[in-house]
């Protein structure tokens, strides 16, 4: 695996980790940990997709990153 593969792999792993932790009740979808795992993971996966020039996943991960950023801003506003 090359650097781009690792970037995408780690990003997707973070997104899946957030999802699994939420499913088993370890974190809530409103927790900062959940939001950051999604934000950073999606950004990394999006960047890897940009390097691979794979448009469908650029769109998917770009929107996921944007949605996570909105969640982070809402979280900060509540604090």
């Amino acid at each position: 695996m090359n650097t781009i593969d690792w970037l995408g792999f780690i990003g997707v792993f973070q997104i899946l980790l957030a999802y699994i932790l939420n499913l088993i009740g370890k974190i809530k979808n409103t927790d900062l940990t959940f939001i950051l795992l999604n934000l950073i993971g999606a950004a990394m996966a999006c960047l890897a997709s940009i390097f691979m020039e794979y448009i469908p996943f650029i769109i998917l991960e770009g929107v996921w990153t944007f949605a996570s950023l909105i969640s982070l801003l809402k979280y900060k506003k509540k604090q």
Side-chain angles (χ1 to χ4, degrees):
M1 284 190 3
N2 62 31
T3 304
I4 296 169
D5 292 330
W6 278 107
L7 182 65
F9 174 79
I10 293 168
V12 169
F13 176 79
Q14 288 181 10
I15 294 168
L16 292 174
L17 179 63
Y19 180 71
I20 291 167
L21 290 173
N22 180 254
L23 274 180
I24 63 174
K26 296 293 182 183
I27 60 175
K28 297 178 186 173
N29 64 350
T30 54
D31 291 347
L32 183 59
T33 302
F34 181 85
I35 295 167
L36 291 176
L37 281 169
N38 274 288
L39 178 63
I40 295 166
M44 290 174 71
C46 185
L47 186 58
S49 299
I50 290 169
F51 288 140
M52 292 186 302
E53 299 178 359
Y54 193 62
I55 302 298
F57 278 97
I58 294 171
I59 295 168
L60 173 68
E61 299 302 341
V63 170
W64 199 304
T65 302
F66 183 70
S68 298
L69 182 59
I70 290 171
S71 293
L72 179 62
L73 294 174
K74 286 182 179 181
Y75 177 87
K76 292 292 185 181
K77 189 175 180 179
K78 286 182 183 179
Q79 301 302 314

